[in-house]
Amino acid sequence: MSTTLDDLARRLPGLRLLSEPGDLEHYGRDWTRRWTPAPLAVALPATVEEVQGIVRWANEHGVALVPSGGRTGLSGGAVAANGELVLSLERMNHVLGFDAADRTLTVQPGMPLEAVHMAAREHGLIYPVDFAARGSCSIGGNIATNAGGIRVIRYGNTREWIAGLKVVAGNGELLDLNRALVKNSSGYDFRQLLIGSEGTLGIVVEATLRLTDPPPPAQTMLLALPDMDAVLAVFGLFRAKLSLQAFEFFTDVALKHVLAHGAQRALDGEHPYYVVTEFDAPDEAAQDAALAVLGEGMEQGWIVDGTIAQSEAQAAALWRLREGITESLAPYKPYKNDVSVRIGAVPAFLHAMQALLAREYPHIEVVWFGHIGDGNLHINVLKPAGMADADFIAQCEHVTKLLAATLKEHGGSISAEHGIGLVKRPYLDSTRSAAEIALMRGVRKVFDPNGVLNPGKLFEVE
């Protein structure tokens, strides 16, 4: 260990530190796999006091810190490639309390999202934010990126469910933000400022989450559609006549990869677009209404085929066709775009995007899918087997620059729910004005005067 790390170990004798090459590689990267991990070491604090001690030590020695949760991010926000100390919160993974009156659950940041779901269900309630990486992502990482997922159409993003936060700022000071108050009109709401800040303003060490009642019994339906316009038409129809919990779409190309990865085909034939939707079906009348809406969509020519799950197992199998996409594409080391526009701008943007991708990737496979009900699209560009990594990235970055310009024309965002990190940093000015970016830099300087928290993420270090 270096002299600098020796000093950290002396100050915090109970702190677990890792420096083996395998540990540095494991903790130094996220799902992007584009940067070679090269952290100084990995610290795994177990207490708030240890987190504060690490941050104060980092300020004194000028060591950069990379906060780390489940490292399931797709924008390079948890990458440590320049001698930073990885501050992993995975040991801080416990429930700290439940308040029945306020219907809140207080947890540590390293708790996996799926464990949060289970803890809420023990009290007859739910924490409604959900997505495919639930078993491996952490609640701290969800807060750092304001994660969305598959049920934003019903419940909104992570920030809607954060009642309070305890955060260690860049100077080591512990901030207790909002204290789970429902009403608090006493100045700036720093809690909301910290949500989505990607570990650049502070390190979340405790979160108080709002819980809610479980939804009514639901039904899951898989639909096959003839074209992209039909996807939007069906969404409008279903939203008007059913109480939607989720509405997700994917293409035939995405389905091909999921089936090759072990999922089972649910509809005969091949169709260019598919939708998995979930809606309230508490009684026979609601189920009959769903069948009527399905029939109406078919009469209009918007739906070619469809099936309704008759059991939880069948519903899970239908959802696997959507949720299994990312895992099925992982071997191809895809370049990912995560973009959003207003729901009203989706039709025009989709046509512009499709034309752009067809023109710029004539010989490269592109897999896209998304949360059509909240305007969020995921674009996965698959690297051809014979193409060098550097050439592939260069081509994708060229196209992303064009995509960013298209998003700007349609009032969209280059990052819907994955954060900016390193990957999207060159395109931040397509979503934020120069004045906004200047203010962001100023805010960061206030919270982290010496720039030790996740430097290089969001924007370059000045």
Side-chain angles (χ1 to χ4, degrees), residues 223 225-241 244 247 249 273 275 293 296-298 300-303 343 346-347 350-351 372:
L223 308 172
L225 295 89
D227 52 48
M228 192 67 232
D229 288 338
V231 175
L232 299 167
V234 170
F235 172 62
L237 173 66
F238 276 51
R239 181 171 62 170
K241 299 196 174 184
L244 295 178
F247 193 93
F249 90 99
Y273 294 93
V275 163
V293 173
E296 183 177 345
M298 287 182 163
Q300 295 285 348
W302 299 332
I303 300 172
I343 297 171
V346 166
L350 278 176
H351 286 293
I372 203 72

Side-chain angles (χ1 to χ4, degrees), residues 110-124:
M111 194 166 181
L113 176 59
E114 190 168 49
V116 171
H117 290 164
M118 294 171 63
R121 284 197 295 269
E122 288 177 4
H123 300 285

Side-chain angles (χ1 to χ4, degrees), residues 189-201:
D189 189 346
F190 292 128
R191 163 196 51 154
Q192 293 294 347
L193 186 62
L194 265 290
I195 298 168
S197 64
E198 302 185 45
T200 63
L201 302 182

Side-chain angles (χ1 to χ4, degrees), residues 186-448:
S186 59
Y188 305 133
D189 189 346
F190 292 128
R191 163 196 51 154
Q192 293 294 347
L193 186 62
L194 265 290
I195 298 168
S197 64
E198 302 185 45
T200 63
L201 302 182
I203 299 170
V204 174
V205 290
E206 183 180 304
T208 299
L209 313 175
R210 299 195 194 284
L211 307 180
T212 191
D213 294 315
Q219 280 195 315
T220 302
M221 186 183 293
L222 175 69
L223 308 172
L225 295 89
D227 52 48
M228 192 67 232
D229 288 338
V231 175
L232 299 167
V234 170
F235 172 62
L237 173 66
F238 276 51
R239 181 171 62 170
K241 299 196 174 184
L242 300 175
S243 184
L244 295 178
Q245 295 186 25
F247 193 93
E248 303 282 302
F249 90 99
F250 53 95
T251 65
D252 54 346
V253 180
L255 179 63
K256 176 189 71 174
H257 286 282
V258 176
L259 294 177
H261 203 64
Q264 298 299 309
R265 184 181 293 276
L267 295 174
D268 293 332
E270 296 184 0
H271 310 277
Y273 294 93
Y274 296 86
V275 163
V276 174
T277 183
E278 195 167 280
F279 47 88
D280 294 353
D283 51 37
E284 190 172 334
Q287 296 168 21
D288 290 342
L291 290 173
V293 173
L294 174 61
E296 183 177 345
M298 287 182 163
E299 288 175 8
Q300 295 285 348
W302 299 332
I303 300 172
V304 179
D305 198 2
T307 184
I308 300 177
Q310 300 301 313
S311 66
E312 289 187 7
Q314 288 183 12
L318 296 184
W319 269 111
R320 184 181 176 188
L321 299 176
R322 162 61 182 86
E323 292 193 320
I325 296 172
T326 296
E327 183 179 349
S328 73
L329 300 179
Y332 298 91
K333 297 167 65 175
Y335 183 98
K336 294 176 177 287
N337 294 115
D338 158 50
V339 303
S340 65
V341 293
R342 292 179 298 102
I343 297 171
V346 166
F349 172 72
L350 278 176
H351 286 293
M353 185 197 75
Q354 283 181 298
L356 170 66
L357 297 179
R359 183 182 73 243
E360 298 295 331
Y361 291 128
H363 306 298
I364 296 178
E365 188 172 43
V366 180
V367 181
W368 51 294
F369 58 94
H371 321 291
I372 203 72
D374 56 41
N376 180 193
L377 303 170
H378 297 291
I379 305 164
N380 294 258
V381 186
L382 308 191
K383 188 178 82 67
M387 194 173 190
D389 285 356
D391 293 339
F392 175 66
I393 294 298
Q395 171 70 358
C396 292
E397 289 182 340
H398 165 71
V399 177
T400 299
K401 186 176 181 179
L402 300 176
L403 180 64
T406 304
L407 282 161
K408 190 171 185 177
E409 292 174 6
H410 293 271
S413 173
I414 194 66
S415 181
E417 59 182 358
H418 294 167
I420 294 295
L422 295 172
V423 175
K424 311 293 176 58
R425 190 177 67 187
Y427 318 106
L428 180 61
D429 62 358
S430 70
T431 299
R432 300 288 192 144
S433 68
E436 284 181 296
I437 293 173
L439 284 170
M440 289 165 68
R441 287 185 178 278
V443 169
R444 183 169 183 167
K445 189 71 174 176
V446 170
F447 275 85
D448 181 21

